[in-house]
Amino acid sequence: MSMITASTWVPRGAAAQFPTKYDIDEKELTRISRLAKLQLEDAEEDLEEARNGEAEGRHSASDEEDGDVNMTSAKGYVFNSLFDQLALNCPNTSPRDADDDLKEYDLDHYDSDHSATADPSGSGEPTSMFGNARSLAYHDSNAQDPYITIPDDEDEDDEREELQVLSSDNMLVAAKVEDEVAHLEIYVYEDEEDNLYVHHDIMLPAVPLCVEWLDLPVGKGLVDTNTKGNFVAVGTMDPDIELWDLDTIDSMYPNAILGQGSAEQEPEQNTDGVNNNKKKKKNRKKSKKPNDTHHTDAIISLAANRSHRNLLASASADRTIKLWDLTTQTCAKSYNNTHTDKICSIAWSPSTPTVLLSGSYDRTVCAADMRAADLSQPARWTVESDVES
């Protein structure tokens, strides 16, 4: 099954002409190691819960199986005794004929027998599955190898030219699910050649539901609001929002994560100096109650504010709207009482950049100024069916 779940255009000229390759330095390795450790701990918790459930099920059925196991053991003992007795009654056989036949091969010392590795030519030089490596020639660089006639620079230039994005090209980001594998496909459309092709792709951890283009560089250091970037925010079935750099090829991990799964969160210490994050991680997936810091259910809609570039609004199945500050990558404000059901669509007003429009499965559409402290009574309209994006 192949399905495109969301898509968004990238403004022409916003993409870098020559995208960069993903490079793992010491700082980046530390960042993704912390992120991978969080993901590993989540998987271990799920596995432990599954094992506990299976253990409880086996414990209830163990009493019923004890009688069957004992009967099976008794039958096996009787069968072996009868087999030995029959073998003794036969003059030409013994109970251990099979073991005697294998003794001549000395399988117990098979691994320690070095005679099989001797050189059959009689030179006394041991051989291996890869042959004699001493006779292989190697060079410090490809330039010294006489059999390599194409310089590395030419290969790099060809690859660089293939990845080039012209200012006249159009770029499209599509969230796709294919054979249960979720990923982003970044398409480039060449006007002159009338050609549409996949420039590169990004693997995702869960089914994507929404994507939103961002022009503010985020993650991997301080955010400079005066510079432009080419990023995309992705909302999935997970309660976290991932921010990816579209000008980086072969990225392994997102530049930043908005939500509780962020690897940039520092461990909290209590008065005794004990790390409190372990307890929080254990209860992270179990808590579905809305809060003011992060979403607890799938991210259904995203909206970037084009006038205030550091603001990103998100709507979730947890019935809340959250306003994120991209400079600090934290939730600046949470609106928990705007709707009574899943919020499936949000959009900023093009004329009044502080007003946000939202639609929900409660069959209402709300317009509210995000500067207000309380949005419990926004302007509201009732529609005939569920609102979808």
Side-chain angles (χ1 to χ4, degrees):
M1 180 189 70
S2 179
M3 176 176 59
I4 295 179
T5 57
S7 62
T8 185
W9 286 101
V10 175
R12 179 179 291 183
Q17 183 178 5
F18 296 102
T20 59
K21 283 281 189 178
Y22 181 72
D23 184 26
I24 301 181
D25 53 11
E26 185 175 353
K27 183 178 180 181
E28 176 66 6
L29 184 60
T30 303
R31 186 183 74 90
I32 64 177
S33 297
R34 294 173 60 187
L35 179 58
K37 183 179 180 181
L38 290 177
Q39 296 174 348
L40 179 60
E41 290 176 351
D42 291 341
E44 290 176 347
E45 291 175 6
D46 294 340
L47 181 59
E48 183 179 357
E49 292 176 0
R51 286 177 175 174
N52 292 337
E54 293 179 0
E56 293 177 359
R58 288 196 300 265
H59 180 72
S60 60
S62 61
D63 296 336
E64 299 177 1
E65 296 178 356
D66 284 342
D68 296 338
V69 172
N70 293 334
M71 183 61 69
T72 302
S73 301
K75 290 180 179 179
Y77 174 76
V78 172
F79 176 80
N80 291 333
S81 299
L82 291 175
F83 176 80
D84 291 340
Q85 186 64 31
L86 290 174
L88 291 173
N89 295 334
C90 297
N92 297 327
T93 60
S94 66
R96 300 293 179 261
D97 277 344
D99 295 339
D100 294 339
D101 293 339
L102 294 176
K103 282 183 179 179
E104 61 177 304
Y105 299 103
D106 195 15
L107 296 180
D108 294 337
H109 304 87
Y110 177 79
D111 294 333
S112 59
D113 186 9
H114 300 287
S115 60
T117 61
D119 187 5
S121 63
S123 60
E125 235 182 89
T127 60
S128 64
M129 61 182 298
F130 298 106
N132 191 357
R134 296 180 180 177
S135 61
L136 297 179
Y138 65 94
H139 303 275
D140 294 335
S141 65
N142 291 337
Q144 300 177 2
D145 194 337
Y147 295 98
I148 297 179
T149 57
I150 301 178
D152 293 338
D153 295 340
E154 294 185 12
D155 293 338
E156 294 178 359
D157 292 342
D158 292 341
E159 184 178 3
R160 181 180 174 87
E161 185 177 353
E162 291 177 358
L163 296 176
Q164 182 180 7
V165 179
L166 303 178
S167 58
S168 59
D169 293 340
N170 296 291
M171 181 172 286
L172 174 68
V173 180
K176 192 173 183 180
V177 179
E178 188 172 6
D179 295 333
E180 300 182 357
V181 177
H183 59 280
L184 290 179
E185 288 185 345
I186 292 83
Y187 290 86
V188 170
Y189 176 72
E190 300 174 335
D191 282 339
E192 297 181 358
E193 303 294 335
D194 192 19
N195 180 33
L196 178 67
Y197 64 95
V198 177
H199 186 267
H200 64 280
D201 58 0
I202 299 173
M203 301 299 296
L204 297 177
V207 176
L209 300 177
C210 54
V211 290
E212 181 74 356
W213 180 77
L214 304 173
D215 64 348
L216 183 70
V218 292
K220 298 183 181 180
L222 298 177
V223 177
D224 187 359
T225 56
N226 297 322
T227 60
K228 294 286 187 177
N230 183 25
F231 286 71
V232 63
V234 184
T236 67
M237 294 295 293
D238 291 341
D240 297 327
I241 303 170
E242 294 187 349
L243 306 180
W244 293 86
D245 186 1
L246 296 178
D247 291 337
T248 302
I249 308 298
D250 299 331
S251 295
M252 296 176 57
Y253 287 91
N255 289 55
I257 296 179
L258 305 181
Q260 194 176 14
S262 175
E264 300 297 332
Q265 295 177 347
E266 294 294 333
E268 297 183 5
Q269 307 289 336
N270 59 17
T271 56
D272 299 331
V274 180
N275 191 346
N276 291 331
N277 279 14
K278 185 176 295 184
K279 182 177 180 181
K280 290 185 177 182
K281 291 172 186 175
K282 184 174 292 185
N283 299 328
R284 174 168 53 190
K285 291 187 177 181
K286 298 179 181 179
S287 176
K288 290 292 185 180
K289 185 179 180 180
N291 56 76
D292 295 335
T293 60
H294 59 272
H295 286 295
T296 59
D297 210 335
I299 311 297
I300 304 179
S301 183
L302 296 169
N305 195 309
R306 301 307 173 190
S307 299
H308 306 280
R309 298 168 50 223
N310 64 310
L311 297 181
L312 175 68
S314 61
S316 171
D318 62 6
R319 307 177 185 181
T320 68
I321 297 174
K322 286 182 168 48
L323 194 61
W324 301 90
D325 186 357
L326 297 179
T327 56
T328 60
Q329 301 169 25
T330 57
C331 180
K333 187 67 177 179
S334 179
Y335 305 94
N336 303 339
N337 302 316
T338 307
H339 293 277
T340 59
D341 207 338
K342 298 180 180 66
I343 305 174
C344 300
S345 182
I346 53 175
W348 292 100
S349 170
S351 58
T352 310
T354 59
V355 174
L356 185 71
L357 190 69
S358 61
S360 170
Y361 271 15
D362 61 6
R363 299 188 175 184
T364 62
V365 176
C366 298
D369 195 327
M370 295 290 105
R371 294 173 297 182
D374 185 16
L375 294 183
S376 58
Q377 294 180 346
R380 191 182 304 271
W381 298 269
T382 302
V383 294
E384 297 180 355
S385 60
D386 299 340
V387 179
E388 297 182 353
S389 59

